[in-house]
């Protein structure tokens, strides 16, 4: 088979490596986005929260407060992210689906802070086939929230009502500050036995109320400070004066807009901890270790090793295995007589010794063919079987082998 045919029908290693690498990166990125998605989102989704630039959002008042020199923060956690030496006014913007227990959890977690709860009013959506810009809302209609939205343990029994009125301009005074306020049509108001009215509604109730024994405020109608209030200069000025008056009444140092009630919080979870300091270092080490393990499994250090036979096939292997067996049995010295006999027979056969000679006569005949001055074959033949240890046996055996090489001229 040609190389072209093999490559056409086989796997391309580079392609498979690229697929695996892309899969690993996509997997890690997916879990990172799941864990950090709420915090990484810009929040411009058309909702009623501080990140939204749509009509029911509060990005306008946040930007105006910052431009006016106020310290403004967006909190993405229940416990908050502010400085402990600051007095904060926590602005909560719940939705119609928010539970009273969620508001109570935030207020309890930030027990030392003061809070302004802005009640929801608008239900927004998009009509079928309607083309709307990103961050905008297609349509909306007012929906009066239930008083059960507010936790009774903090605000008591609260009733929310919508008065059928026309837009009107009223005079308001909070914390000694007087300003004009433009009330929208169908303005929402609240009433409750534990609430103190700061700005009254046109038909009773309170547009802005405060708890009698705590600095907890309720703004019944969000149109007074949301982006709808920035339709004109007068309404925007009224929204800024309203926030400033509440801050003056609560004697706070900074504003904090909560976005956890709107789904942009960084809740505690093991998955999120894996991608934030200080655990991000451990996550990166685990990812690096996994990539190194994958690389080691992919790359081989040399060709693949083939399994070897337990006993190799050759005369040398047979001799080596026999020698190892004798060594393990510690029977080396028992083979001295056999070794002498094999050497004697090999020399006599190759030198054509006379027939009928016994062992001693054969040794004497071999001695005659040796060079003068060396140790005789007969002496070594008598001494080798009497060896007392391996060293003596090895020395005499090597001497016999040297005589054989010298006489027969072989190895």
């Amino acid at each position: 088979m040609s190389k072209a045919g093999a490559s056409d029908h086989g796997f391309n290693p580079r392609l498979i490596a690229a697929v695996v690498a892309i899969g690993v990166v996509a997997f890690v990125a997916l879990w990172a986005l799941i864990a950090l998605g709420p915090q990484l989102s810009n929040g411009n989704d058309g909702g009623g929260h501080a990140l939204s630039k749509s009509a029911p959002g509060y990005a306008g008042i946040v930007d105006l407060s910052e431009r006016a020199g106020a310290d403004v923060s967006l909190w993405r956690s229940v416990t908050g992210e502010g400085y402990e030496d600051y007095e904060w006014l926590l602005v909560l913007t719940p939705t119609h689906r928010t539970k009273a227990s969620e508001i109570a959890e935030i207020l309890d977690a930030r027990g030392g802070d003061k809070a302004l709860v802005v009640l929801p009013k608008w239900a927004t959506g998009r009509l079928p086939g309607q083309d709307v810009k990103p961050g905008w809302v297609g349509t909306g209609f007012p929906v009066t929230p239930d008083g059960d939205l507010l936790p009774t343990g903090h605000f008591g029994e609260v009733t929310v009502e919508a008065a059928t009125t026309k837009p009107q301009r009223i005079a308001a005074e909070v914390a000694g500050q007087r300003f004009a306020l433009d009330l929208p049509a169908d303005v929402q108001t609240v009433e409750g036995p534990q609430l103190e009215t700061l700005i009254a509604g046109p038909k009773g109730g309170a547009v802005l109320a405060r708890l009698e024994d705590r600095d907890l405020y309720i703004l019944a109608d969000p149109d007074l400070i949301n982006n709808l209030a920035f339709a004109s200069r007068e309404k925007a000025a009224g929204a800024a004066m309203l926030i400033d008056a509440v801050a003056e009444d609560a004697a706070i140092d900074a504003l904090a807009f909560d976005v956890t009630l709107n789904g942009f919080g960084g809740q505690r979870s093991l998955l999120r901890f894996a991608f934030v300091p200080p655990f991000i270092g451990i996550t990166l080490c685990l990812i690096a270790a996994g990539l190194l393990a994958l690389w080691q499994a992919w790359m081989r250090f040399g060709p693949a090793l083939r399994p070897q036979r337990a006993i190799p096939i050759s005369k040398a292997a047979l001799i080596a295995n026999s020698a190892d067996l004798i060594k393990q049995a510690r029977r080396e010295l028992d083979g001295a007589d056999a070794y002498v006999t094999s050497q004697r027979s090999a020399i006599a056969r190759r030198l054509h010794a006379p027939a009928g000679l016994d062992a001693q006569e054969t040794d004497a005949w071999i001695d005659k063919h040796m060079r003068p001055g060396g140790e005789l074959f007969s002496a070594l033949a008598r001494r080798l079987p009497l060896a007392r240890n391996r060293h003596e046996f090895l020395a005499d055996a090597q001497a016999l082998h040297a005589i054989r090489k010298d006489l027969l001229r072989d190895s």
Side-chain angles (χ1 to χ4, degrees), residues 20 25 59 73 104 143 153 167 199 223 324 352 367 388:
V20 172
V25 173
S73 297
V143 176
I199 299 178
D223 290 347
D324 289 339
H352 305 288
D367 291 341
R388 294 170 295 179

Side-chain angles (χ1 to χ4, degrees), residues 361-381:
E361 292 174 346
T362 303
D363 292 346
W365 185 83
I366 294 174
D367 291 341
K368 295 178 182 180
H369 292 78
M370 294 179 59
R371 296 178 182 179
E375 194 168 8
L376 298 178
F377 180 87
S378 57
L380 291 173

Side-chain angles (χ1 to χ4, degrees), residues 142-216:
V143 176
T144 304
D146 195 336
D148 295 337
L149 175 69
L150 298 171
T152 57
H154 295 78
F155 297 93
E157 296 293 336
V158 177
T159 303
V160 184
E161 294 182 355
T164 304
T165 60
K166 295 182 179 180
Q168 55 183 299
R169 191 176 183 85
I170 64 172
E173 181 178 355
V174 178
Q177 298 188 26
R178 296 180 180 180
F179 54 94
L181 199 62
D182 291 285
L183 297 182
D186 301 328
V187 62
Q188 290 184 167
T189 59
V190 294
E191 291 181 346
Q194 301 181 22
L195 298 181
E196 176 185 353
T197 301
L198 298 181
I199 299 178
K203 293 185 177 181
V207 176
L208 176 65
R210 179 183 59 195
L211 203 62
E212 293 178 348
D213 56 347
R214 292 183 62 183
D215 289 327
L216 295 180

Side-chain angles (χ1 to χ4, degrees), residues 311-325:
I311 302 176
I313 303 176
S314 67
K315 294 181 179 180
L318 181 60
I319 294 173
N321 290 335
S322 301
D324 289 339
L325 183 61

Side-chain angles (χ1 to χ4, degrees), residues 181-184 187 207 219 221-226 229 235 238-240 242:
L181 199 62
D182 291 285
L183 297 182
V187 62
V207 176
L219 181 59
D221 199 305
D223 290 347
L224 297 176
I225 64 171
N226 62 14
K235 292 182 179 180
L242 176 60

